[in-house]
Amino acid sequence: MIKFRNVNKSFGRNTVLKDISFTVDKGNLVTIIGASGCGKTTTLKMINRLIKPTSGDIFIGGENIRDKDVIQLRRGMGYVIQQTGLFSHMTVRENIEIIPKLSRANPEQTRKRTLELMEMVGMDPDTYLDRYPPELSGGQQQRIGVARAFATDPEIILMDEPFSALDPITRTQLQDELLGLQNDLNKTIVFVTHDMDEAVKIADRICIMDKGEILQYDTPEQLLKNPCNDFVAEFVGKNRIWASPEFIKARDIMIDRPVGCGPELNLRKGIERMRFAKVDTLVVTDRQKKLLGVLQARDIHPSDVRNPVSTVGQVMDPHFIHATPDSSILDILHLVDEHNVSIVPILDEAETLCGLITKSSLMTTVSHQYLDTEKTGGNE
């Protein structure tokens, strides 16, 4: 949808952007983040040609924006800034309808769209449409700014730190509302922020910049788990993954080679295998690694052990709660709590055993959070 190709920008001798190349896919919400002066707002403003590149190209839908009429280009995009950009001498209605009127949209359709937009941002039209921006709170003004950005139903929305001046509660509410809107409308949104928590919460992909360069452009999950260098790791924060536990997947914490056997193994040999490996659970699989059951030491009855011909398959429990490699640690904790189990086998779509999560491995994972926090003084 939006493609930067080898874009550079200099103001005199000051180089602001250095060979920027990245692509924003249609329907994605991409956040650009970095310290002040890293070039993130300059990058955003190039999309609607408020700032022109010194060299390089920017494409929208395969068309170079250099070849497009700048007025039409900007009217085809929504734009939300930190200070809302509302005209204080205009009513809320006039602010929302200004671009449709300039575009000579049908007046009746414009009025209908305005009512829909007010409902969309959670503001009663009868109460607020005839008020002026100074009569509204900061959060209300920002909601109107968002409504105006959606007024022409554009494919692309540009948002330059729109929530940074708001109090934490209002900011969280607007982040949640933006996620709801994006889920319903599936717009292509480029969102500049300096807040990593905000970026992780709302983005499909995050672009981390420093000194005019892109250091890493990736999904929130990959940024949290696999920062490309020490700067990104420090910027992201070593313990930030714990603020987004949905990104910690079963594949990240499972025992990927659990001790196991086939169902035909003699029970006594199975017990010896557990003792030798210092575990209390055997996973029982067939030759194709399909899980057949689990055998836990606590469930073995003395009479089974006394029977010299007892096999693991006869004693194992064929009923088990399982999860997938993509299940989050929250999902696993819920299963453990709801079903009062101490082990959770991890199976893929073909029901092949991938690994095992135990209460012990869960506790080890969770304890690392507190150990790492203690080492860093809890400031990450």
Side-chain angles (χ1 to χ4, degrees), residues 42-193:
T42 299
T43 301
L44 182 82
K45 289 182 176 180
M46 284 185 168
I47 298 173
N48 62 2
R49 286 177 59 187
L50 285 173
I51 295 176
K52 296 180 181 179
T54 301
S55 63
D57 299 285
I58 301 170
F59 301 88
I60 294 179
E63 183 178 357
N64 197 317
I65 65 171
R66 184 178 55 223
D67 302 326
K68 295 177 69 72
D69 177 82
V70 68
I71 301 300
Q72 294 303 315
L73 174 71
R74 291 172 185 168
R75 287 182 181 176
M77 298 180 188
Y79 190 37
V80 188
I81 61 177
Q82 180 178 335
Q83 298 82 9
T84 73
L86 299 178
F87 299 106
S88 60
H89 64 286
M90 292 183 178
T91 65
V92 167
R93 181 192 296 276
E94 290 169 336
N95 268 283
I96 293 175
E97 295 180 354
I98 185 170
I99 299 302
K101 285 183 176 179
L102 289 172
S103 303
R104 298 181 180 179
N106 179 282
E108 183 57 36
Q109 291 180 349
T110 297
R111 283 191 292 271
K112 181 180 178 182
R113 176 67 174 162
T114 299
L115 295 177
E116 292 174 349
L117 290 167
M118 291 295 286
E119 296 291 344
M120 183 182 79
V121 297
M123 296 183 69
D124 177 46
D126 294 334
T127 303
Y128 295 104
L129 273 180
D130 295 321
R131 292 189 183 182
Y132 290 86
E135 300 174 334
L136 307 178
S137 69
Q140 290 170 338
Q141 289 184 40
Q142 205 57 274
R143 284 182 170 87
I144 299 304
V146 171
R148 185 174 64 180
F150 282 83
T152 58
D153 197 25
E155 285 295 318
I156 296 172
I157 308 287
L158 307 179
M159 308 184 82
D160 191 2
E161 302 202 50
F163 309 146
S164 61
L166 302 175
D167 65 88
I169 294 176
T170 303
R171 185 173 189 171
T172 298
Q173 290 173 343
L174 287 176
Q175 289 168 355
D176 292 339
E177 289 174 12
L178 178 62
L179 284 172
L181 289 176
Q182 178 65 352
N183 186 59
D184 293 337
L185 303 176
N186 201 37
K187 298 296 184 181
T188 302
I189 299 176
V190 182
F191 188 111
V192 166
T193 182

Side-chain angles (χ1 to χ4, degrees), residues 308-376:
V309 296
S310 288
T311 65
V312 169
Q314 293 171 334
V315 181
M316 70 179 187
D317 183 359
H319 307 292
F320 46 84
I321 301 298
H322 70 278
T324 71
D326 287 325
S327 299
S328 73
I329 191 172
L330 296 177
D331 298 327
I332 304 299
L333 288 168
H334 179 72
L335 287 175
V336 169
D337 182 60
E338 181 181 8
H339 299 280
N340 192 29
V341 293
S342 59
I343 58 168
V344 180
I346 307 301
L347 309 183
D348 63 16
E349 292 181 355
E351 297 188 351
T352 301
L353 181 69
C354 301
L356 183 71
I357 291 178
T358 67
K359 271 190 175 180
S360 176
S361 62
L362 273 176
M363 289 301 297
T364 299
T365 300
V366 173
S367 68
H368 284 164
Q369 172 196 8
Y370 299 102
L371 289 172
D372 291 343
T373 301
E374 190 174 83
K375 289 177 184 177
T376 59

Side-chain angles (χ1 to χ4, degrees), residues 291-309:
L291 185 62
L292 303 177
V294 292
L295 177 66
Q296 292 186 269
R298 69 182 185 186
D299 297 328
I300 300 174
H301 196 273
S303 61
D304 296 321
V305 180
R306 287 194 293 267
N307 185 347
V309 296

